[in-house]
Amino acid sequence: MADLKERLLPLKPASATNLRDSSYRASAVGRLPFQGVDVLGLKKRGQGLRSWIRVDAANGDSQIIEVDKFTIMRRCDLPARDLRLLDPLFVYPSTILGREKAIVVNLEQIRCIITADEVLLLNSLDSYVLQYVVELQRRLMAAGGGEVWRSEGGELKTSPDYLPFEFRALEVALEAACTFLDTQAAELEIEAYPLLDELTSKISTLNLERVRRLKSRLVALTRRVQKVRDEIEQLMDDDGDMAEMYLTEKKSRMDSLFDGAEQSVMTGYRSNDGQQSISAPVSPVSSPPDSRKLEKAFSIARSRHDGMSSSGSATESIEELEMLLEAYFVVIDSTLNKLTSLKEYIDDTEDFINIQLDNVRNQLIQFELLLTTATFVVAIFGVVAGIFGMNFMIPLFDSPKAFTWVLVITGVAGAIIFSSFLWFFRYKRLMPL
């Protein structure tokens, strides 16, 4: 019976040592097959061995294991496309997926698979990954068994603050992601405000380039924060997805169905033994083996469980998970508001700089207009000089005061023309005179 149950249920993860010793043995001749080829390297690349940190739900113990993706798929009952979300070679947006036996979490540096019994976390040297493991172990040891106890009637009682293991692990992942994003937003704020103030006081190419890089970082960080916020909001809006994430409850329901199936099969054995006639022979074809009967009962129990999980998801209590998600939704929304305020401040600074540049451009245009008017007035003197420079004789040339009168009359005429232009510019409001 134990062998059959292990065959029906998902397999336990295998360590790297067990995986390495199963293939590519030396042949009888003493040579490895495919001589000249790095067979061990090909095997490791083919199997896709990755290092995982496993945290046990019972006592919080952690260990590093190396398993391939097929073992993880069988262990957690996950499709291959869900495991691609955790691949560090690819960049996927933040995602939280609830499956039948696991929760796939991809939140910034935290990439893990949460089940009712354990957490499988991709091994990384990132400090936030190590902090996640330490914080999860601390909370598991702090919780202990004080939140679940057995009453006098034999029923299990839970405290109001009790959370299943999968929600504790999800809470630590959300907290780590929100803390990481909030820290980056705070660092960006500390760097941005002095730089923007410096840009408003001194517009230069260096400051503009620094603000451009700052805005690029801000846009990238805002996109990541927005994706985490949308993912949490999408989970909160879908009651079915939240009900799917109650792994401990579904596991206990499955165990109870398995126990009921075993009892029904054993009861059928006893009833058949009591009603069987001693004189009548039993045909080996008509009575199937015990293992086949038990396997059939397990398949019936599994189908009943699937039907109950699909029909009872709407009536399942999701208040605990909804409150948990709502708390971190407020945190990530606050971080998004910080980034939005910073973006608005950058936009205001850009508008202010554009206004300053427009003002300088207008001043240059006004100066150019005055300079053009003054050039026109000076050109009048050139016209008079050109006229009197012709080779002809008039009585005005014999007068000793003729040159003075020509200068005075030309200067008065130029001043009158220049004043007329200024009055016209003021009348048309072309310059603030």
Side-chain angles (χ1 to χ4, degrees):
M1 186 180 299
D3 297 338
L4 182 59
K5 189 171 182 180
E6 290 180 358
R7 186 155 50 89
L8 291 175
L9 294 177
L11 299 176
K12 296 182 178 179
S15 62
T17 306
N18 296 331
L19 290 173
R20 291 194 183 97
D21 296 340
S22 58
S23 310
Y24 296 109
R25 302 293 186 183
S27 60
V29 188
R31 294 182 304 171
L32 287 171
F34 307 102
Q35 188 174 6
V37 181
D38 187 6
V39 181
L40 295 179
L42 287 175
K43 180 191 176 220
K44 187 170 183 178
R45 287 192 295 268
Q47 288 186 347
L49 289 177
R50 292 194 182 280
S51 179
W52 297 79
I53 301 177
R54 179 183 179 273
V55 181
D56 189 74
N59 47 19
D61 292 340
S62 63
Q63 58 179 344
I64 298 177
I65 59 175
E66 290 187 0
V67 293
D68 58 348
K69 69 175 183 179
F70 301 106
T71 305
I72 295 293
M73 289 166 59
R74 291 193 303 267
R75 173 75 177 179
C76 304
D77 196 11
L78 292 175
R81 64 176 179 272
D82 290 344
L83 291 183
R84 293 193 197 101
L85 298 175
L86 307 180
D87 197 336
L89 301 179
F90 300 98
V91 179
Y92 288 98
S94 298
T95 309
I96 302 176
L97 299 176
R99 295 295 183 248
E100 180 65 26
K101 295 182 181 180
I103 301 174
V104 181
V105 178
N106 178 18
L107 294 174
E108 297 299 322
Q109 281 79 11
I110 307 301
R111 301 185 178 190
C112 62
I113 301 174
I114 303 173
T115 65
D117 300 323
E118 61 186 2
V119 172
L120 297 175
L121 184 71
L122 273 177
N123 192 10
S124 174
L125 298 178
D126 192 272
S127 60
Y128 282 91
V129 176
L130 302 179
Q131 290 177 8
Y132 174 84
V133 176
V134 173
E135 180 64 19
L136 181 58
Q137 290 177 338
R138 186 188 67 81
R139 295 192 183 187
L140 291 176
M141 289 187 294
E147 295 184 348
V148 181
W149 67 90
R150 189 174 297 276
S151 62
E152 296 178 357
E155 299 180 355
L156 290 176
K157 299 290 184 178
T158 59
S159 65
D161 298 333
Y162 169 73
L163 284 177
F165 169 73
E166 62 269 16
F167 293 164
R168 294 181 184 275
L170 179 61
E171 181 182 10
V172 177
L174 288 171
E175 182 179 351
C178 293
T179 303
F180 175 72
L181 293 174
D182 189 70
T183 302
Q184 284 197 338
E187 293 176 354
L188 201 61
E189 278 185 332
I190 294 174
E191 182 182 354
Y193 287 113
L195 179 58
L196 294 174
D197 294 338
E198 182 181 356
L199 181 62
T200 55
S201 60
K202 181 182 179 181
I203 301 175
S204 63
T205 306
L206 179 60
N207 289 337
L208 288 174
E209 178 64 22
R210 292 169 63 187
V211 171
R212 186 191 64 82
R213 294 178 181 176
L214 179 69
K215 191 173 182 180
S216 300
R217 291 167 51 195
L218 175 64
V219 171
L221 182 59
T222 303
R223 190 181 299 114
R224 289 158 52 194
V225 173
Q226 183 70 45
K227 187 63 181 73
V228 175
R229 180 186 179 277
D230 293 343
E231 192 67 27
I232 297 177
E233 186 178 11
Q234 182 180 358
L235 279 177
M236 293 172 59
D237 293 339
D238 196 337
D239 295 345
D241 289 345
M242 286 192 289
E244 194 73 20
M245 299 171 74
Y246 279 76
L247 304 179
T248 302
E249 187 172 348
K250 289 193 292 186
K251 181 188 175 185
S252 61
R253 190 189 308 152
M254 176 67 80
D255 293 341
S256 63
L257 288 174
F258 275 139
D259 296 339
E262 291 179 2
Q263 292 178 2
S264 63
V265 171
M266 297 305 297
T267 304
Y269 288 161
R270 288 194 296 268
S271 62
N272 291 335
D273 293 341
Q275 296 176 1
Q276 185 177 355
S277 174
I278 301 176
S279 60
V282 179
S283 174
V285 179
S286 60
S287 59
D290 295 345
S291 61
R292 291 183 59 189
K293 287 184 178 180
L294 188 57
E295 184 175 356
K296 185 177 181 180
F298 280 153
S299 63
I300 294 174
R302 182 180 290 273
S303 63
R304 289 179 180 175
H305 166 70
D306 295 337
M308 289 179 61
S309 62
S310 60
S311 62
S313 60
T315 59
E316 221 169 352
S317 175
I318 56 174
E319 184 178 357
E320 297 175 350
L321 181 57
E322 189 173 7
M323 293 176 60
L324 174 65
L325 294 176
E326 186 177 356
Y328 287 98
F329 178 80
V330 173
V331 175
I332 199 67
D333 190 63
S334 174
T335 304
L336 184 61
N337 290 334
K338 289 182 183 179
L339 297 176
T340 305
S341 301
L342 181 58
K343 186 178 184 301
E344 291 177 355
Y345 190 79
I346 293 177
D347 294 338
D348 294 341
T349 304
E350 290 180 350
D351 294 339
F352 178 73
I353 292 173
N354 291 330
I355 291 173
Q356 281 187 332
L357 295 177
D358 292 339
N359 186 28
V360 172
R361 190 179 301 110
N362 292 335
Q363 290 178 357
L364 291 175
I365 293 174
Q366 292 173 6
F367 179 74
E368 184 181 1
L369 187 60
L370 289 175
L371 193 60
T372 304
T373 305
T375 304
F376 175 74
V377 172
V378 173
I380 296 176
F381 287 88
V383 172
V384 173
I387 293 174
F388 283 96
M390 297 296 177
N391 191 11
F392 62 92
M393 297 299 295
I394 57 174
L396 183 62
F397 291 162
D398 298 334
S399 176
K401 296 183 179 179
F403 182 72
T404 305
W405 283 105
V406 170
L407 289 178
V408 171
I409 294 173
T410 307
V412 171
I416 292 174
I417 294 174
F418 187 74
S419 301
S420 301
F421 273 110
L422 293 182
W423 176 85
F424 178 76
F425 294 153
R426 183 177 181 183
Y427 177 75
K428 291 296 184 179
R429 296 181 180 178
L430 296 179
M431 60 179 60
L433 295 175

